[in-house]
Amino acid sequence: MDIFAQQIINGLVLGSIYALVALGYTMVYGVLGLINFAHGEVVMVGAMVAFSAITFFMGVFPETPGWILFLVGVMCAVPVCMLTSFTIERFAYRPLRNAPRLAPLISAIGVSIILQTLAMIIWGRNYLIFPTTLPTDPIILHTFAANPEVDYERTVSITPVQILIVCVSAALMFALTYTVNKTRLGKAMRATSENTQIASLMGINPNTVIAATFVIGAALAGVAGVMVATNYSVAHFYMGFLPGLKAFTAAVLGGIGNIYGAMLGGLVLGIVESLGAGYLGQLTGGFLGSHYQDIFAFAVLILVLTLRPSGLLGEKVSDRA
């Protein structure tokens, strides 16, 4: 097996998920200047709702093809995530919009704990085996051998689920970029991001734009939650915390508030994690293996914040009044 190429593939898959979730963080920060630390729990809600929907549908229609079950899970998860995020914005963040910055941050942490607790009450504390809806048999690909006479069989493997994750993530990121740059809603988002008061004088309703930003980010998070649960075949009430934290790291790495930066940061972070867990882990005899992969992610964050606090694609801007 070609370890380096395999970890690059794994990193692209992982990074695609991080990028999807990071887009939610960076959109909200770009428009509102708020770090929505409850966003990771929206990912968890998407996975849990998809689990319930797929399980129920399998019980009622046991002969349903797997891809239809997957679509049912996504179609149920996304609206619930959108409603959840809309409710969070309306009741937890909007009343604190003019409060000191520490107040909405504490509110976000409180919302995160509430969502985790509600999920634990509804779905239980134990890990849930996510139904297998898509093919999981690995596809073996051959790579170029460094020395065909000695190392004549270097391969990498990728599953259909992983291919779907990369393709869907790329399509959604392209759709979001088009929405922000080419549509009236996107123009309203950019105007609100520049100056809320001036945007309102131009006929833009800031409350509507901010709510739409939360809802769009939640839709991406819902899809990410379903794909994570499908890829790892596990759902849990605490599953959104660490991916959410890493997605926030990816957003900061790329430049918080920059959509392209969130995409780049997610991919870079995923590749760094995978290389650290696999390739470097092998070089160190497993000492820096998968159990320590989180070290690499946050080490990169510390390094970037030290050398370039604005992120890879971020710009230095003055604080808002």
Side-chain angles (χ1 to χ4, degrees):
M1 177 180 289
D2 190 335
I3 299 297
F4 183 80
Q6 183 65 63
Q7 295 308 323
I8 291 294
I9 292 177
N10 294 341
L12 289 176
V13 174
L14 190 61
S16 297
I17 295 174
Y18 288 161
L20 268 189
V21 184
L23 286 171
Y25 280 105
T26 206
M27 287 175 61
V28 170
Y29 184 85
V31 173
L32 199 57
L34 167 71
I35 303 298
N36 180 19
F37 276 118
H39 193 62
E41 272 54 56
V42 177
V43 177
M44 175 271 297
V45 169
M48 292 300 202
V49 170
F51 168 82
S52 297
I54 293 174
T55 302
F56 174 79
F57 210 79
M58 289 176 64
V60 178
F61 305 102
E63 302 299 326
T64 305
W67 65 272
I68 294 182
L69 292 174
F70 177 80
L71 290 178
V72 168
V74 173
M75 293 173 63
C76 292
V78 169
V80 173
C81 288
M82 294 169 70
L83 179 61
T84 300
S85 192
F86 176 82
T87 304
I88 292 172
E89 189 278 329
R90 178 63 182 84
F91 295 103
Y93 297 150
R94 188 178 299 182
L96 301 174
R97 194 170 295 170
N98 297 320
R101 290 191 174 187
L102 187 59
L105 177 63
I106 296 174
S107 179
I109 296 174
V111 169
S112 175
I113 296 174
I114 290 173
L115 289 177
Q116 289 181 14
T117 304
L118 289 176
M120 182 178 62
I121 293 172
I122 296 172
W123 287 283
R125 304 172 63 95
N126 298 325
Y127 284 85
L128 304 175
I129 305 302
F130 199 84
T132 301
T133 57
L134 300 176
T136 57
D137 296 332
I139 300 173
I140 306 300
L141 304 174
H142 293 269
T143 63
F144 293 102
N147 186 350
E149 296 181 358
V150 178
D151 193 10
Y152 57 87
E153 188 175 357
R154 303 182 70 181
T155 62
V156 295
S157 65
I158 187 170
T159 66
V161 173
Q162 292 175 324
I163 296 175
L164 180 66
I165 289 174
V166 175
C167 293
V168 170
S169 298
L172 291 176
M173 286 186 280
F174 174 80
L176 177 64
T177 303
Y178 178 84
T179 299
V180 171
N181 293 328
K182 300 296 183 180
T183 65
R184 293 186 63 184
L185 175 61
K187 293 178 181 178
M189 287 180 178
R190 285 181 279 136
T192 305
S193 175
E194 289 292 332
N195 192 303
T196 304
Q197 294 180 348
I198 294 179
S200 63
L201 293 175
M202 297 174 64
I204 298 173
N205 188 335
N207 290 332
T208 301
V209 172
I210 292 171
T213 303
F214 273 84
V215 166
I216 292 174
L220 299 179
V223 175
V226 178
M227 292 194 298
V228 168
T230 301
N231 188 39
Y232 295 104
S233 300
V234 171
H236 187 244
F237 77 94
Y238 199 66
M239 65 177 289
F241 176 75
L242 195 55
L245 193 58
K246 291 182 180 179
F248 170 69
T249 301
V252 174
L253 174 61
I256 190 73
N258 188 310
I259 291 179
Y260 299 103
M263 300 177 190
L264 177 62
L267 295 176
V268 170
L269 188 65
I271 291 174
V272 168
E273 263 198 42
S274 294
L275 288 176
Y279 188 70
L280 295 180
Q282 186 185 46
L283 292 180
T284 57
F287 178 72
L288 295 177
S290 59
H291 296 293
Y292 300 94
Q293 65 182 20
D294 299 338
I295 294 176
F296 299 96
F298 297 111
V300 169
L301 174 63
I302 294 172
L303 184 63
V304 170
L305 289 177
T306 302
L307 301 178
R308 185 176 173 84
S310 58
L312 298 177
L313 300 183
E315 298 179 357
K316 295 182 179 180
V317 295
S318 58
D319 291 337
R320 297 180 182 178

